[in-house]
């Protein structure tokens, strides 16, 4: 049995967690989320805590036990605190502009790259080289950040491109010049 899966999920005040068959829905001050739980795992609510139990002792039940517990916990955290991911843009002339729910990137290509921010994500451009993504779904925030980073990943030689805030890029050495004789 999973050690992570055995830990109960604390449901804070102001958060409603409902289990309807195999659908778990969480409603809180920042929004609401739902998750379809596989039939190998059962969710019970007792004394302000949610408990995740494997239905059988099979391999799939053991594999999904801890995963479902963490996903439900992330839903509870998301509707109370939310999730945030920051991106930095490095390179001469590289910048971003926000136009409603779209982001327009200048990334050294011959054309601006337009990125449509999905619903449920708030994108904030603090300055021309920094974007912060906020939302209630940890998956959606992380996937959106990864999609934006994929527009121009950091270069291995100069480090130009879009990176996560605080990400350290190990730069390769360039060509060495001809040795002086």
């Amino acid at each position: 049995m999973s050690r992570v899966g055995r830990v109960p999920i604390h449901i804070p005040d102001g958060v409603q967690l409902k289990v309807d068959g195999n659908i778990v829905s969480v409603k809180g001050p920042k929004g609401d989320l739902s998750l379809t739980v596989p039939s190998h795992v059962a969710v019970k609510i007792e004394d302000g805590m949610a408990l995740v139990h494997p239905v059988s002792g099979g391999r799939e039940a053991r594999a999904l036990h801890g995963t479902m517990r963490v996903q439900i916990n992330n839903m509870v955290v998301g509707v109370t605190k939310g999730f945030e991911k920051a991106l930095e843009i490095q390179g001469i002339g590289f910048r971003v502009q926000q136009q409603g729910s779209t982001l327009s990137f200048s990334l050294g290509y011959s054309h601006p790259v337009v990125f449509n921010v999905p619903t449920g994500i708030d994108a904030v451009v603090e300055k021309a080289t920094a974007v912060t993504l906020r939302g209630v779904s940890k998956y959606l925030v992380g996937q959106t950040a990864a999609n934006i980073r994929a527009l121009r990943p950091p270069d291995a030689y100069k480090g130009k491109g879009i990176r996560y805030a605080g990400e350290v890029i190990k730069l390769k050495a360039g060509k060495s010049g001809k040795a002086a004789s």
Side-chain angles (χ1 to χ4, degrees):
M1 197 158 155
S2 170
R3 290 183 186 177
V4 172
R6 278 189 257 163
V7 179
I9 301 166
H10 175 69
I11 303 170
D13 296 334
V15 175
Q16 297 174 350
L17 191 137
K18 293 181 187 174
V19 179
D20 185 26
N22 63 341
I23 296 175
V24 176
S25 57
V26 180
K27 189 178 246 184
K30 291 202 177 245
D32 54 334
L33 296 169
S34 63
L35 172 71
T36 303
V37 178
S39 60
H40 302 292
V41 178
V43 180
K44 294 180 184 176
I45 300 171
E46 298 174 357
D47 302 327
M49 301 279 201
L51 302 169
V52 180
H53 299 287
V55 174
S56 63
R59 181 178 180 154
E60 286 186 36
R62 289 194 317 266
L64 292 171
H65 180 216
T67 302
M68 289 299 114
R69 186 253 175 226
V70 169
Q71 286 186 350
I72 294 169
N73 188 53
N74 285 342
M75 289 169 41
V76 171
V77 171
V79 298
T80 55
K81 298 177 186 172
F83 292 100
E84 182 176 297
K85 205 64 128 158
L87 297 166
E88 297 173 344
I89 302 170
Q90 293 204 344
I92 295 174
F94 288 14
R95 63 184 178 277
V96 62
Q97 295 174 336
Q98 187 170 13
Q99 299 154 348
S101 66
T102 62
L103 299 174
S104 178
F105 291 92
S106 297
L107 298 172
Y109 299 121
S110 62
H111 58 282
V113 179
V114 177
F115 183 84
N116 293 320
V117 180
T119 56
I121 299 292
D122 295 326
V124 178
V125 177
E126 288 119 13
K127 53 184 179 178
T129 59
V131 178
T132 302
L133 304 172
R134 292 185 182 96
V136 293
S137 173
K138 185 174 187 176
Y139 168 77
L140 192 57
V141 170
Q143 187 62 49
T144 303
N147 291 342
I148 290 174
R149 185 181 184 273
L151 296 175
R152 185 79 180 222
D155 177 64
Y157 295 98
K158 292 186 179 180
K160 299 187 326 182
I162 302 173
R163 63 176 75 179
Y164 299 115
E167 181 181 6
V168 177
I169 306 296
K170 186 173 179 184
L171 300 178
K172 293 181 178 180
K175 290 182 181 178
S176 58
K178 192 174 185 181
S181 42

